[in-house]
Amino acid sequence: MPYYTEKLSALRLKRVYDIATPRVRQYLDAELDYALSKIKSGDTVLDLGCGYGRIIPQLVEKAGTVIGIDSSMESLRLGREILADSHNHHLLCIDAASLGFRDNVFDVVICIQNGISAFHVNQTLLIRESVRVVKPGGTVLFSSYSDKFWADRLEWFELQAKEGLLGEIDYEKTGDGIIVCRDGFAATTVSEDRFLDLTAGLNADVNIVEIDNSSLFCEINPR
């Protein structure tokens, strides 16, 4: 995902969350709370697209060990500075669609805050890699935005564009869950039907749930 490695990394990425509106903060907290509810004490957790480690401290508090991966070395460097006093975690520069871990090593794999769109990789490969590295009976979580959150999401992106974190929003191309900026940035969403298509054929139980009128979660439990 070159945009997040070249233009929106480290302190610029952190600023995205610093300027979030109260409603967006509620959405972010609700996503994290839902993910934490799926983690048990002592679990080994993989956080896909960890950025600067925004949610690592909360994950570590609940889990045993947390591995955070991202494609941006700048974000990972910032994360290592911010989390210097935190233990039981590792931040690695790894492609989420080609993980390199052995099969069945994690209890929980999470990819929240619409990472499935933001990574700009083959979504089928991304999901199948995540399922491959999780233990049978474990949990894989992917989230995208709910349609009900559109106005708040667009407002947040407008704030980011105003701050120069993103390019100017192209309103002619923006709509139906897609936000397009004139500098080439594009943010899409994954619908319930799309999640079901992406997970079809997996030897797993799949559940789609909406939380907080803001997030659509796809929970995958390999058998």
Side-chain angles (χ1 to χ4, degrees):
M1 52 183 176
Y3 201 97
Y4 286 91
T5 56
E6 298 171 7
K7 297 183 179 181
L8 198 58
S9 63
L11 289 174
R12 288 174 62 83
L13 180 61
K14 185 175 183 298
R15 183 65 178 159
V16 167
Y17 297 97
D18 290 342
I19 65 173
T21 64
R23 180 62 182 95
V24 170
R25 291 181 187 277
Q26 177 184 316
Y27 143 75
L28 294 169
D29 289 343
E31 279 214 326
L32 178 56
D33 287 345
Y34 187 78
L36 289 172
S37 74
K38 304 298 178 177
I39 297 171
K40 300 184 295 295
S41 177
D43 277 353
T44 300
V45 176
L46 177 63
D47 179 16
L48 305 181
C50 68
Y52 58 88
R54 179 177 67 89
I55 65 171
I56 295 290
Q58 293 90 338
L59 295 179
V60 168
E61 188 174 339
K62 185 80 181 282
T65 301
V66 177
I67 307 296
I69 71 164
D70 203 90
S71 63
S72 168
M73 279 304 305
E74 291 300 316
S75 289
L76 293 170
R77 288 190 189 100
L78 177 62
R80 288 165 185 157
E81 292 177 12
I82 294 174
L83 301 172
D85 295 327
S86 179
H87 303 287
N88 300 329
H89 75 274
H90 305 278
L91 302 183
L92 306 174
C93 189
I94 295 177
D95 179 1
S98 182
L99 291 170
F101 298 111
R102 299 192 314 274
D103 295 354
N104 313 133
V105 293
F106 295 97
D107 297 291
V108 181
V109 177
I110 66 171
C111 181
I112 62 175
Q113 224 266 286
N114 202 36
I116 189 169
S117 164
F119 294 166
H120 292 287
V121 298
N122 183 299
Q123 294 175 344
T124 299
L125 291 178
L126 177 64
I127 288 177
R128 291 183 182 276
E129 266 293 87
S130 299
V131 170
R132 180 184 67 77
V133 301
V134 82
K135 298 173 183 176
T139 300
V140 176
L141 290 176
F142 283 91
S143 77
S144 192
Y145 291 107
S146 165
D147 292 341
K148 298 172 185 174
F149 195 60
W150 171 253
D152 298 288
R153 178 186 173 215
L154 181 59
E155 179 186 14
W156 188 26
F157 276 74
E158 288 171 336
L159 289 174
Q160 295 173 49
K162 185 177 180 180
E163 289 256 338
L165 302 170
L166 301 174
E168 179 186 358
I169 294 176
D170 187 337
Y171 289 97
E172 291 184 358
K173 297 179 180 179
T174 292
D176 296 324
I178 301 173
I179 296 175
V180 178
C181 297
R182 297 189 187 279
D183 65 350
F185 177 86
T188 61
T189 53
V190 179
S191 67
E192 179 176 355
D193 287 344
R194 177 61 176 159
F195 270 131
L196 292 175
D197 286 343
L198 290 169
T199 55
L202 292 176
N203 183 27
D205 297 316
V206 177
N207 185 40
I208 311 295
V209 60
E210 185 179 83
I211 63 164
D212 186 53
N213 290 324
S214 58
S215 289
L216 197 67
F217 267 88
C218 177
E219 180 178 344
I220 307 165
N221 300 111
R223 302 188 188 106

